[in-house]
Each structure stands twice: as C-alpha cells, then as structure tokens.
C-alpha cells in the first residue's frame, strides 16, 4: 500500500508517497485473445512494489499523467495557507517533482501546469525523454503566454517520433475541421456527414466571448513503436505493406478550462481536440490512442458523461428509447412504440428520439451549459457598439433610470434578496438580442452534443478500473458520495477541495480500414480480436496494472497536498498498457 516512506529506488532520491502497482486480473496474458468479463465482487488484488517491479515485456509501456502545480499558481489567493514556507519554495518543489517523475520511470509522460521548462525540466529530462513544451495563454493580458503550460515526452529508445502538433482552442474553428474532414475523406455521398456539414451552426457572439475567456491548449503526438517491441508476424502474407510491426500510437495531453460552470467551453475544447486526433488517426491508420490530462471535470459532470457514453448504436436504440418510454408523457408515442424492439433506427427516427429526449431534459441542460455573467456583460457591451446613435441614447437613458430606481429601492429596503439586487433590467433592444443569441447558443450546444453521441469514439477511463480491481483501496478513499462509478474519489486533495479531475483515457477507435488489412492471416486476426470490448469497458483487458493512490490518512498527515514530501495538489496517474 502507499506510504510516506523513502523509496529504495537507486535511480532516485524519492522521499514521497511510496506507491504500488495494482495488477489487473483481467489483463490479457501471453497474447490470449479472450475478452473477459469484469467481476464487481472480486476483492482480491495483487500488488507489486515499484522498486521490485521486474516487468520486462517489450510490448508493455507505461504512461503518466500529472498536474504538477505551476509555481506561479502556488498558494494563489491564499488557498494553500497550510503549506510551510519550505513547501512553497521552488527549490524544494522542483527536487521533489523531478525525483517523483524519475521514480515512476514512465515511458510516456504528460505534465500539466509545467513551468521553468527551459531553466529546469528540459535539462533534467533530456537524458531519458524527448520532450515538447507549450505555454498556455493568458486571456486577461491580451493572450500573452503564461509562464506555465503542457509538457509531453517519450523515451526515444522505445518510440520513433512521427508527428507533433499543438492545439490552440482559441484559434481553431470547428467549421474548418468539418470541411476538411468532408473533403479529405470524400464523403459527399454520405448523407449523414453531408447533412452534418450543411447544418453546422455559426458561433454566436456569446460563444465567441466565452471562447475568449480561456487560453487553454492541447498537445497531440504520433509515435511508432521501435522494432525491439516484437510480435509474431510469421503468418502475414503482406507484411511490408499492411502488417508493419512498428505500430503507431497517438497520445494527447491537455488541461481544460477550470470554471465549474463553463461546460460549454470544455465541451468545445474537447470537440476540437478529438477532431484533430481523428484526422491523425485516419492519416496513420492508428488504433491505439490515449488521452491524458487535467480535464477539470468530475465523474458526475456532463463532460465526463459525453466522453464515456456508450457506443452510438446503444445510445440511439437502448438509452434514448428507454429514457423516452419511461416518461409517462411519451408512453403513447407511436414512433417510439414502433421501435421498442428495433435495433436499427433510421436516421430520421433517431433524430426524432434525440429531440424528444432533449426537450424532456431542456431545463437541466440549460443549467448544465449555463453562461457566466461576465460573458453576458461583455456581449451586451459588444451589442452596444453596433447600435445607431439614437438606439444607443435610448439604451443609456433606460439604464440610467433603472439605476436610479434600484438605488431608491435599496435606500427604502425594498429589495428582499441578493438575487433581486443583482437582477439587471435590459432595454428591449438589448434584451431581444440577448434572448435570440441565447436560443441560438443553446441550439449549438445541442448540435455539439449530438455530434459527440453520433460521430466520436467512446473514451474509457483506465482508472475506472480502480474500484473494480482494488475494492478495498477504493473504499478507503471514499471521502464523499458525489458519484457511484468506480473512478477514484479524488486525484486532487487540498484542504478545501477534493475531487477527481485527472484521467488517462483509452479510445475505442475503429478507424482501421479492413480493406487495407491483409486477409486471412493470424496476425491481423489477433490484432482485431485483441481489441474486443468487454461488457464493462473496452480496452481494460489491455491494461496490465495501475498505480495505487495514497489514502486520505496518509495525505492528511500534513493537512493535505502539497506538503513537504509531495509538491503538487494533484496525484500522478500511471498505467501499464499492452500494445
């Protein structure tokens, strides 16, 4: 189990929480092809100390995701008041962080909130990793770069570098991606894709101002396994062209926008990231895709649900129909009743069901994708810039009168609550514009969600295994009851905030074109079968082990994290995965 002991790892001077590998009993051993069912009642687990790990399988690689807490964000607004002066010093933190990264000996690393790259991390990591670093932007200072950003790195003895790109969520335009996708894949004859393009909504001014709130970015890297990672290709008849034993892998790293209420921004950022990934996966026919990062979303949030929702055919035939049938107001709907036992809905029927469900949940969805007041205020000021002088004069007079009335009410104590106090009356010219844009924005939200459900692959969180294969440890972590899924109860653990925000996702990517694969040979059959989906989650059978997470009593010894032995407010996620 994890403990605050000194590691004996001869390669490090690690003084932090010693952690153990939790072995996945459902991992495919010895190239076995069976996809096994996960047993929720299995409380047995096997642990292996990092120091005693002797795994030498060349087909297994280790991937790390870690928000290391930027020095410039350390104790912002006094939130980390419990940290000692020693804990807060960069000279202390940098040594703790680099020794911890070395302790894990991961083959691929994804860091968020990384700063002092040129001054420190580049040199410290260059003996082991080829690294790429990008700074985030500061929207409050004309998008000048922040001192911190994202770092992604890989061991060059294991992987060959193929391609890298930075994703700037602020500058990317969704329509551009959809147009490129349509042109490059010659999908003009595909009515679904064609209709999707034709119906792409324009961004409202509200959305444009929302986008300008964030300077977040993403990283995507394409790697190729080197030849020392071996497989049996003896039976492949078309080895050179279609069964390249140096398989591609795509890894993404991101840190999404932080405000809890800004689900629209996070959804849009993920939309852009996934569009870029899909483009690269088709280019390289890549089936192995992993997404790491601080998503600033918890397992009970709508963004997590969108990423991990079931396969699209299940969404349309099972989830949509069941949700609708269970609603009393729709129980006599002829179209729905006619499709109770139909596993293949037509496109127009599917759209109909989605629209019905959306309207049922409209109030909830409006709340989940609400817009912050700052964006409204900024947009209203933009509206005023486009008014005629006469209209602007009317609006200003209206606002002045409204201000006087509000002040009089305050003096006479006629305002009963804070909500009424903050309520701002708008001139009809402005109010009508705002209402119209809010409706359009909500339609756009509906469009993006529809695209997620219909066209994006499902992503499965590797650490959702935690509560399945380490039930005892998962139960010991339970400090709240905000979700029932088997994700860890926290990856961030400060005095005032404890939640899960960090993930390593594995994609259910089916872009492999069967026409490009050699036929009737064992190696390709193995590759296809190896990716089979279990009932609980595809990809989990490819996870050999995950690193355990320190328990609350350990983290609370010095109140919370960061502390003298752990220099981030997050814990690192590390997984061993078979390729």
């Amino acid at each position: 189990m994890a403990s605050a002991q000194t590691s004996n790892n001869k390669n490090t001077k690690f003084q932090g929480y010693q952690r153990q590998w939790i072995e996945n009993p459902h991992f495919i051993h010895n190239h076995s092809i069976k996809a096994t069912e996960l047993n929720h009642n299995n409380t047995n687990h096997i642990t292996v100390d990092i120091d005693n790990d002797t795994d030498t399988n060349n087909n297994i690689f280790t991937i790390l995701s870690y928000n290391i807490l930027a020095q410039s964000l350390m104790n912002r607004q006094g939130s980390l008041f419990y940290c000692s002066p020693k804990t807060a010093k960069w000279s202390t933190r940098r040594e703790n962080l680099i020794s911890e990264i070395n302790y894990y000996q991961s083959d691929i690393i994804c860091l968020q909130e990384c700063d002092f790259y040129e001054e420190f991390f580049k040199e410290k990591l260059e003996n082991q990793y080829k690294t790429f670093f990008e700074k985030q932007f500061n929207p409050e200072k004309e998008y000048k770069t922040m001192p911190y950003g994202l770092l992604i790195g890989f061991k060059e003895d294991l992987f060959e570098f193929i391609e890298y790109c930075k994703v700037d969520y602020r500058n990317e335009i969704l329509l551009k991606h959809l147009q490129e996708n349509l042109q490059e894949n010659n999908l003009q004859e595909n009515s679904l894709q064609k209709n999707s393009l034709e119906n792409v909504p324009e961004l409202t001014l509200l959305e444009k101002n929302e986008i300008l709130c964030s300077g977040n970015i993403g990283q995507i890297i394409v790697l190729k396994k080197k030849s020392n990672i071996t497989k049996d290709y003896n039976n492949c008849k078309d080895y050179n062209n279609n069964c390249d034993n140096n398989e591609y892998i795509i890894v993404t790293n991101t840190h999404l926008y932080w405000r809890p209420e800004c689900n629209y921004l996070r959804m849009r950022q993920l939309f852009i990231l996934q569009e870029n990934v899909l483009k690269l996966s088709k280019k390289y026919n890549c089936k192995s895709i992993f997404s790491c990062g601080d998503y600033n979303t918890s397992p009970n949030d709508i963004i997590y649900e969108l990423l991990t929702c079931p396969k699209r055919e299940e969404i349309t035939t099972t989830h949509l129909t069941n949700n609708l049938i269970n609603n009393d107001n729709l129980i006599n709907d002829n179209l729905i009743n006619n499709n109770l036992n139909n596993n293949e809905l037509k496109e127009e029927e599917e759209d109909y069901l989605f629209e019905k469900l959306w309207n049922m949940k409209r109030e909830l969805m409006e709340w989940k994708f609400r817009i912050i007041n700052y964006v409204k205020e900024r947009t209203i000021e933009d509206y005023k810039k486009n008014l005629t002088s006469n209209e602007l004069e009317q609006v200003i007079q209206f606002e002045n009168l409204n201000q006087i009335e509000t002040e009089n009410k305050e003096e006479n104590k006629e305002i009963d609550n804070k909500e009424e106090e903050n309520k701002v009356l708008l001139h009809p010219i402005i109010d009508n514009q705002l209402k119209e844009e809010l409706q359009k924005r909500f339609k756009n939200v509906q469009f993006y969600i529809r695209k997620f459900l219909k066209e994006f692959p499902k992503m499965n969180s590797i650490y959702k295994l935690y509560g399945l294969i380490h039930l005892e440890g998962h139960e010991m972590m339970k400090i709240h009851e905000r979700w029932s899924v088997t994700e860890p109860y926290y990856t961030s653990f400060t005095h005032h905030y404890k939640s899960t925000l960090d993930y390593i996702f594995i994609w259910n990517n089916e872009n492999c074109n069967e026409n490009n694969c050699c036929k009737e040979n064992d190696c390709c059959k193995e590759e296809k079968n190896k990716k089979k989906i279990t009932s609980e989650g595809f990809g989990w059978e490819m996870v050999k082990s995950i690193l355990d997470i320190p328990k609350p009593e350990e983290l609370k010894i010095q109140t919370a994290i960061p502390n003298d032995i752990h220099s981030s407010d997050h814990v690192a996620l590390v997984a061993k995965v078979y390729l």
Side-chain angles (χ1 to χ4, degrees):
M1 308 302 293
S3 61
Q5 298 176 2
T6 303
S7 167
N8 295 321
N9 191 326
K10 62 183 179 181
N11 296 321
T12 68
K13 298 177 181 178
F14 182 61
Q15 302 292 322
Y17 300 106
Q18 186 174 335
R19 299 167 66 179
Q20 293 182 322
W21 290 110
I22 308 299
E23 298 291 305
N24 177 14
H26 312 284
F27 169 64
I28 295 180
H29 295 276
N30 302 321
H31 302 277
S32 172
I33 296 172
K34 286 186 178 180
T36 55
E37 300 278 341
L38 289 171
N39 182 359
H40 289 270
N41 298 317
N42 181 16
T43 58
N44 297 321
H45 63 276
I46 303 170
T47 61
V48 178
D49 288 337
I50 290 182
D51 298 331
N52 298 326
D53 187 10
T54 57
D55 197 341
T56 58
N57 190 329
N58 285 333
N59 290 313
I60 292 175
F61 80 95
T62 310
I63 186 168
L64 170 145
S65 182
Y66 193 11
N67 181 329
I68 60 174
L69 179 58
Q71 184 66 18
S72 57
L73 299 178
M74 183 73 186
N75 202 28
R76 56 192 181 278
Q77 298 178 340
S79 60
L80 304 179
F81 62 89
Y82 52 89
C83 294
S84 67
K86 176 186 175 183
T87 296
K89 285 183 179 178
W90 175 238
S91 57
T92 300
R93 295 188 64 237
R94 68 186 183 187
E95 297 305 321
N96 283 347
L97 290 168
I98 197 64
S99 67
E100 184 180 5
I101 293 168
N102 289 334
Y103 174 66
Y104 299 135
Q105 287 293 300
S106 301
D107 303 316
I108 297 174
I109 58 173
C110 295
L111 305 181
Q112 304 87 44
E113 291 192 19
C114 177
D115 49 9
F116 296 103
Y117 173 73
E118 293 291 343
E119 300 88 340
F120 182 74
F121 282 108
K122 184 178 181 180
E123 179 184 352
K124 292 294 183 179
L125 293 172
E126 65 183 2
N127 289 335
Q128 292 191 74
Y129 302 97
K130 179 176 178 63
T131 58
F132 295 85
F133 174 74
E134 303 289 350
K135 290 183 177 180
Q136 290 184 201
F137 301 102
N138 189 342
E140 296 178 1
K141 295 185 178 179
E142 299 179 341
Y143 291 91
K144 294 178 181 178
T145 55
M146 293 278 202
Y148 60 87
L150 303 176
L151 181 150
I152 194 167
F154 65 94
K155 289 185 176 178
E156 292 187 275
D157 59 331
L158 297 178
F159 298 99
E160 175 188 348
F161 170 70
I162 302 298
E163 187 172 343
Y164 167 83
C165 67
K166 178 182 82 171
V167 182
D168 183 349
Y169 299 131
R170 176 175 54 102
N171 292 333
E172 295 282 357
I173 304 300
L174 178 61
L175 178 58
K176 181 187 74 174
H177 284 294
L178 293 173
Q179 286 173 331
E180 288 177 354
N181 188 56
L182 185 66
Q183 292 165 0
E184 290 184 8
N185 295 284
N186 194 25
L187 296 173
Q188 283 83 351
E189 301 303 318
N190 185 321
S191 61
L192 175 63
Q193 294 285 347
K194 191 172 182 180
N195 289 337
S196 295
L197 179 62
E198 290 172 351
N199 295 323
V200 171
E202 290 185 17
L203 290 174
T204 62
L205 188 54
L206 279 167
E207 290 169 276
K208 291 175 182 176
N209 281 330
E210 277 182 284
I211 291 165
L212 293 176
C213 289
S214 167
N216 297 75
I217 57 173
Q219 292 177 302
I220 307 174
I221 195 165
V222 184
L223 304 172
K224 201 174 186 182
K225 294 191 300 182
K226 287 194 171 178
S227 56
N228 61 333
I229 302 181
T230 58
K231 291 185 181 180
D232 181 10
Y233 290 91
N234 294 330
N235 295 318
C236 184
K237 298 177 182 179
D238 194 7
Y239 171 80
N240 290 328
N241 294 327
N242 298 311
C243 289
D244 189 351
N245 61 346
N246 292 321
E247 188 176 316
Y248 292 102
I249 174 175
I250 294 176
V251 180
T252 75
N253 182 27
T254 193
H255 190 181
L256 301 184
Y257 189 56
W258 66 274
R259 283 184 181 272
E261 65 271 30
C262 289
N263 283 318
Y264 169 83
L265 263 182
R266 283 186 289 277
M267 178 176 67
R268 182 184 179 276
Q269 289 170 351
L270 284 170
F271 202 118
I272 292 168
L273 183 66
Q274 290 195 329
E275 284 282 347
N276 278 279
V277 171
L278 288 176
K279 184 177 175 183
L280 287 169
S281 72
K282 289 171 184 175
K283 178 178 178 181
Y284 295 104
N285 193 25
C286 179
K287 301 184 290 291
S288 299
I289 305 175
F290 300 88
S291 288
C292 302
D294 180 345
Y295 284 71
N296 271 314
T297 187
S298 296
N300 58 330
D301 292 336
I302 184 68
I303 301 303
Y304 180 91
E305 293 174 21
L306 280 176
L307 287 173
T308 60
C309 62
K311 279 286 292 177
R312 308 307 167 238
E313 63 269 15
E314 293 173 359
I315 282 285
T316 55
T317 60
T318 304
H319 288 74
L320 279 182
T321 304
N322 286 345
N323 272 301
L324 292 166
I325 292 300
N326 290 334
N327 186 280
D328 293 338
N329 296 328
L330 299 171
I331 217 162
N332 294 318
D333 191 299
N334 290 330
L335 177 57
I336 297 171
N337 286 328
N338 289 339
N339 285 286
L340 273 174
N341 299 313
N342 182 12
N343 290 324
E344 293 184 4
L345 294 176
K346 295 177 181 178
E347 184 183 335
E348 61 270 20
E349 294 171 335
E350 182 183 312
D351 291 340
Y352 176 81
L353 291 175
F354 181 84
E355 193 68 31
K356 284 283 189 180
L357 179 59
W358 181 266
N359 288 333
M360 284 167 47
K361 307 289 185 182
R362 185 179 183 90
E363 186 174 339
L364 176 63
M365 298 305 282
E366 284 180 340
W367 169 250
K368 286 182 179 292
F369 289 95
R370 63 194 180 276
I371 197 162
I372 57 176
N373 287 331
Y374 167 74
V375 172
K376 280 186 183 180
E377 293 166 1
R378 185 173 182 171
T379 304
I380 287 170
E381 292 304 311
D382 288 339
Y383 290 159
K384 291 177 183 178
K385 294 174 184 176
N386 296 323
L387 296 178
T388 65
S389 57
N390 186 41
E391 288 173 331
L392 182 59
E393 186 177 348
Q394 292 179 45
V395 169
I396 292 173
Q397 288 179 355
F398 180 88
E399 290 176 345
N400 289 338
L401 287 173
N402 183 52
Q403 179 65 28
I404 292 170
E405 288 181 13
T406 302
E407 290 172 357
N408 289 337
K409 286 182 179 181
E410 288 175 352
E411 287 181 10
N412 298 325
K413 298 183 179 180
E414 294 177 15
I415 294 179
D416 296 327
N417 54 56
K418 198 74 175 175
E419 185 176 339
E420 186 179 348
E421 181 181 343
N422 293 331
K423 189 175 181 181
V424 177
L425 292 176
L426 300 173
H427 188 279
I429 294 175
I430 300 295
D431 193 41
N432 290 337
Q433 270 188 283
L434 185 61
K435 285 178 179 176
E436 184 179 341
E437 284 235 322
L438 284 169
Q439 288 180 355
K440 286 181 180 178
R441 174 187 176 274
F442 193 59
K443 274 289 184 185
N444 291 356
V445 169
Q446 182 180 355
F447 170 83
Y448 299 145
I449 290 177
R450 185 78 165 125
K451 295 279 289 182
F452 261 99
L453 298 183
K454 285 179 67 68
E455 297 177 25
F456 285 166
K458 175 185 174 182
M459 296 164 66
N460 207 11
S461 168
I462 288 178
Y463 262 77
K464 194 176 177 183
L465 272 169
Y466 203 78
L468 295 173
I469 65 174
H470 191 18
L471 189 59
E472 179 186 359
H474 188 253
E475 194 63 28
M476 291 172 67
M477 290 181 72
K478 194 171 184 178
I479 55 175
H480 61 75
E481 296 184 351
R482 295 201 296 273
W483 55 79
S484 59
V485 297
T486 52
E487 291 279 5
Y489 286 101
Y490 53 81
T491 60
S492 178
F493 196 99
T494 66
H495 179 268
H496 66 286
Y497 182 78
K498 301 170 181 65
S499 190
T500 293
L501 303 173
D502 309 272
Y503 303 92
I504 302 174
F505 289 109
I506 185 170
W507 285 46
N508 178 22
N509 189 36
E510 299 176 348
N511 286 327
C512 179
N513 184 350
E514 293 185 14
N515 295 325
N516 291 334
C517 290
C518 45
K519 298 180 180 179
E520 298 180 355
N521 63 78
D522 291 341
C523 73
C524 286
K525 287 180 181 178
E526 178 180 339
E527 285 303 302
K528 287 178 65 178
N529 288 330
K530 182 162 64 68
K531 303 289 186 180
K532 279 185 178 178
I533 301 171
T534 66
S535 62
E536 288 297 324
F538 62 87
W540 283 344
E541 73 277 13
M542 308 312 298
V543 179
K544 183 180 184 295
S545 54
I546 55 178
L547 210 58
D548 73 340
I549 294 176
K551 307 304 180 288
E553 61 269 21
E554 299 172 90
L555 298 175
K556 288 179 179 178
I557 290 175
Q558 297 188 40
T559 304
I561 53 175
N563 54 41
D564 289 350
I565 63 171
H566 188 90
S567 287
S568 175
D569 53 350
H570 292 243
V571 294
L573 302 185
V574 192
K576 287 187 178 183
V577 183
Y578 177 88
L579 286 179

